[in-house]
Amino acid sequence: MNVQVAVNGYGVIGKRVADAVRSMPDMELVGVADVAPDWRIRTAAELGITVYAATETAGTAMREAGVPVAGTLTDLLDQVDVVVDTTPKRVAATNLPTYQAAGVKVVLQGGESHTTTGHSFVAQANYASALGRDMTRVVSCNTTSIVRVLGALQDAGLLARARGVLIRRATDPSESHEGGIMNTMVPEAAIPSHQGPDAKTVLPELDVVTIAAKAAHTQTHNHFWTLQLTRPADREDVLQALRSAPRIAFIRMSDGLTALNTTVELMRDLGRPRGDMWEVALWEDVLSVDGDEAYLTYQVNNEAIVVPETIDAIRALTSTARDAATSIGLTDEVLGMRQEFLAAAGVPSGRTAQG
């Protein structure tokens, strides 16, 4: 029997998770819950998704706005095995007692603290430790990318330590009219920034320091890394380690992908839903290795990268896939993920991260 899933919060991440669940052959989206009767939840209803009200007050507002409401969040939880909470930062923690009372498995997102669940999740790194747990937390977009890339090098025995600079988007594109950063850049107030310590909740042995700033753009994050390797190596050693890991895709300046917006446009041209990029997009022809030091840069789609991890977290908690490779392979195949966005010499463009 397919895993029965609820999504609480139908915003930037929630609507993407809901669509991903609907596409999986081993899952069923029972419904989504929200508090606002706006265009987002109205769109869900138009798409044939069953809508529930997260609160009684929300239910009244939704019905007055003409949104068909199937019941309350409690009604939804009574029908599911897992709830994915994609509500705004720090709201999910307040919902946890409701989920526990309903006896459902819980997947939270990176806006909540590690201590809320006692477990933080990235599929390639620690899937096994999530098997059968009652809850986990899928780490943030930037932390997910750090674990994917640095974890791949660590697994290959190449990484001694990592120092990174993150240039973060100011706000999500759909919220840029509500405020943001214009004509400036805002450094985070502490070093290390939170992403490095957060990555260590998944990879405790990782020697990593991050520095971050918010910039005046809304499309994706950009990472720059200086890596101390465990031994002198060449570019192919590093590239091979990265190619061996899932969910890292290679782009090249020589193809004209010279800025964040060009990759965003490429995703649209490839027909990705909402222009989403679930992979880390790493500039292959920028990566440089000098003895036991490596330097690289990559791009992170903050709206999409955690979606496949959330799907894998559902399988881990419910033990419907007993190992990471099985879950990752199924998720990536269904979503159509790639290791090369454009054909390179001897590499088909449609090759998946597992292929």
Side-chain angles (χ1 to χ4, degrees):
M1 183 176 177
N2 286 355
V3 177
Q4 306 295 295
V5 181
V7 175
N8 187 16
Y10 195 73
V12 171
I13 300 298
K15 62 186 179 182
R16 289 169 165 85
V17 169
D19 284 353
V21 169
R22 294 175 86 195
S23 72
M24 294 296 144
D26 57 342
M27 298 181 188
E28 181 178 344
L29 180 69
V30 176
V32 301
D34 209 287
V35 296
D38 63 8
W39 62 273
R40 297 172 183 85
I41 204 68
R42 293 173 67 88
T43 301
E46 288 286 333
L47 293 172
I49 297 172
T50 305
V51 173
Y52 292 78
T55 67
E56 293 291 348
T57 300
T60 300
M62 287 178 183
R63 291 184 183 93
E64 289 176 351
V67 179
V69 179
T72 65
L73 175 60
T74 300
D75 296 327
L76 176 58
L77 295 176
D78 284 343
Q79 305 173 63
V80 303
D81 305 304
V82 182
V83 59
V84 179
D85 190 305
T86 57
T87 57
K89 185 176 182 178
R90 288 185 286 274
V91 172
T94 67
N95 292 332
L96 197 53
T98 299
Y99 303 147
Q100 291 171 319
V104 298
K105 305 277 188 176
V106 182
V107 180
L108 301 185
Q109 299 295 307
E112 307 309 310
S113 70
H114 173 73
T115 56
T116 302
T117 61
H119 189 273
S120 295
F121 183 89
V122 176
Q124 77 186 63
N126 65 345
Y127 185 97
S129 65
L131 282 170
R133 287 184 59 90
D134 290 333
M135 67 184 78
T136 190
R137 160 187 171 262
V138 173
V139 296
S140 72
C141 52
N142 282 314
T143 305
T144 296
S145 75
I146 292 169
V147 173
R148 286 186 190 173
V149 173
L150 300 190
L153 298 173
Q154 187 180 65
D155 288 346
L158 280 173
L159 184 66
R161 59 180 177 268
R163 304 295 182 257
V165 175
L166 291 62
I167 306 301
R168 303 177 58 199
R169 60 93 180 96
T171 188
D172 288 325
S174 62
E175 298 176 356
S176 57
H177 65 290
E178 296 179 356
I181 297 167
M182 294 294 292
N183 300 319
T184 189
M185 183 179 290
V186 182
E188 289 204 8
I191 299 174
S193 59
H194 74 273
Q195 295 87 3
D198 200 29
K200 296 181 75 167
T201 65
V202 180
L203 295 173
E205 302 304 315
L206 198 63
D207 186 343
V208 59
V209 175
T210 50
I211 303 171
K214 290 182 181 179
H217 67 278
T218 63
Q219 292 182 321
T220 78
H221 306 303
N222 201 182
H223 287 219
F224 302 85
W225 287 94
T226 298
L227 309 175
Q228 181 70 53
L229 305 179
T230 56
R231 59 175 174 80
D234 55 34
R235 287 185 77 253
E236 193 52 42
D237 292 328
V238 175
L239 286 170
Q240 183 55 45
L242 296 170
R243 290 190 182 107
S244 298
R247 299 173 178 171
I248 300 172
F250 295 95
I251 56 177
R252 288 169 289 275
M253 292 274 181
S254 60
D255 289 328
L257 297 169
T258 56
L260 304 183
N261 58 294
T262 59
T263 308
V264 171
E265 187 71 8
L266 173 62
M267 295 303 103
R268 294 171 177 153
D269 289 347
L270 291 174
R272 287 289 181 89
R274 300 186 180 89
D276 284 348
M277 182 172 70
W278 306 290
E279 308 88 340
V280 174
L282 191 145
W283 272 281
E284 180 181 8
D285 51 0
V286 176
L287 187 148
S288 177
V289 179
D290 182 8
D292 62 354
E293 292 186 317
Y295 311 92
L296 58 82
T297 180
Y298 62 74
Q299 182 174 351
V300 180
N301 186 329
N302 50 285
E303 297 176 295
I305 189 175
V306 299
V307 171
E309 307 298 333
T310 301
I311 295 298
D312 293 331
I314 293 170
R315 291 200 188 98
L317 296 187
T318 57
S319 299
T320 51
R322 296 297 300 177
D323 60 84
T326 299
S327 183
I328 291 171
L330 178 57
T331 302
D332 292 4
E333 180 181 5
V334 172
L335 292 180
M337 295 175 72
R338 300 178 180 228
Q339 192 175 62
E340 296 280 345
F341 288 129
L342 295 172
V347 180
S349 60
R351 179 185 177 191
T352 69
Q354 294 299 299

